[in-house]
Amino acid sequence: MVSDGTPDGPGPVIPQSGLLYGQRDHWAATFSANPDMYGTDPSEPAVAAATRFARAGITDVVELGAGQGRDTLYLARRGFHVHALDYAPGAVETIRAKAEAAGATELVRADRHDVRDPLPLADRSVGACYSHMLFCMALTTPELQRLAEEVRRVVRPGGLVVYTARTTEDAHFGAGIPRGEDMYEHGGFIVHFFGRALVERLAHGFELLDVGELTEGQLPRRLCQVTMRVPPS
Ligand SMILES: C[S@@+](CC[C@H](N)C(=O)[O-])C[C@H]1O[C@@H](n2cnc3c(N)ncnc32)[C@H](O)[C@@H]1O
């Protein structure tokens, strides 16, 4: 495994001028140099989310910031239809190839998409939204608020939203290069560290069901796992 200010180890170096918009190419280069950067096992949040979605009778999921698809393929193995979105060139091709190899093309759709743009889904068209370490990327608070509104638009009433984000308890919070708001850059990766106030702000219009804590990787990264429900209509 590699380190990214998210991963574990030195990542490729980009010029200091590589700010919020340079992140996409940095992710692409890092994925290209590090196949299965986060490993092939599903993340802990994916396992928990899958169980929660199944108990709620949900059968389809949109995944934001799917990366190299460790959780996408797991959700498919659990029987969910997964629409994976990621903006890094090469990421969705990797996911499609893995779905093909796993015989899961019927269950997995992967599209290149920047979550700063409106989500490419119809209103109330999916049962759940799942996202591991996407909300804590180089997204400003207004961009995150627009994203949360988009998630509320596309998830059906009564549907679930599970996301994780690195928190202000993380060792990298306040260290590295400040990039505005609670964003700091490490190894070329910009991370937006979440406090409780931001979690509550993004929960506007949702029912906030719970906010758990977890760690991942060698740093370890300290994350919150947020579960919300779109109010039943
Ligand atoms: C920390 S990685 C997590 C990947 C994956 N969820 C996992 O846990 O294996 C963050 C992912 O978000 C993607 N990403 C970052 N900003 C994005 C944006 N604005 N739109 C879409 N994807 C984005 C990156 O390309 C990367 O794949």
Side-chain angles (χ1 to χ4, degrees):
M1 279 229 265
V2 195
S3 167
D4 72 348
T6 355
D8 306 306
V13 175
I14 57 166
Q16 292 302 311
S17 59
L19 294 176
L20 305 191
Y21 277 84
Q23 292 289 292
R24 189 193 65 184
D25 294 338
H26 192 42
W27 274 109
T30 305
F31 284 155
S32 168
N34 302 284
D36 295 319
M37 172 173 181
Y38 294 103
T40 52
D41 292 338
S43 68
E44 187 184 319
V47 175
T51 298
R52 193 147 192 175
F53 295 161
R55 281 194 190 130
I58 289 165
T59 58
D60 56 345
V61 180
V62 60
E63 182 185 4
L64 309 179
Q68 295 163 307
R70 60 173 170 159
D71 291 342
T72 316
L73 271 291
Y74 171 73
L75 291 169
R77 286 199 297 278
R78 291 281 302 258
F80 295 97
H81 285 266
V82 194
H83 189 170
L85 303 176
D86 201 288
Y87 76 167
V92 299
E93 290 79 0
T94 297
I95 293 172
R96 286 179 195 145
K98 287 181 178 175
E100 177 96 42
T105 52
E106 294 293 311
L107 291 171
V108 176
R109 172 177 174 179
D111 289 319
R112 190 164 154 188
H113 179 80
D114 187 330
V115 298
R116 290 171 293 192
D117 296 327
L119 294 178
L121 283 88
D123 296 358
R124 304 174 166 214
S125 61
V126 68
C129 178
Y130 169 74
S131 184
H132 185 29
M133 294 191 291
L134 174 278
F135 277 67
C136 57
M137 293 291 98
L139 300 164
T140 63
T141 298
E143 287 168 343
L144 286 168
Q145 287 179 295
R146 279 196 294 277
L147 175 58
E149 283 165 21
E150 276 295 287
V151 170
R152 190 152 52 87
R153 177 182 68 76
V154 303
V155 174
R156 286 188 279 272
L160 294 173
V161 178
V162 172
Y163 77 84
T164 69
R166 290 176 71 179
T167 72
T168 52
E169 301 296 312
D170 191 287
H172 281 174
F173 173 63
I177 306 166
R179 293 302 188 195
E181 300 191 9
D182 282 335
M183 288 185 269
Y184 292 87
E185 180 178 331
H186 287 268
F189 287 94
I190 298 171
V191 175
H192 191 154
F193 294 91
F194 273 46
R196 179 77 193 199
L198 184 52
V199 169
E200 287 180 7
R201 200 161 171 177
L202 298 183
H204 179 76
F206 294 93
E207 296 168 6
L208 183 56
L209 300 183
D210 57 64
V211 183
E213 292 177 6
L214 71 144
T215 60
E216 187 182 87
Q218 289 169 11
L219 183 61
R221 297 180 285 277
R222 294 182 69 94
L223 299 135
C224 59
Q225 178 161 339
V226 179
T227 306
M228 308 190 294
R229 181 164 48 213
V230 177
S233 55

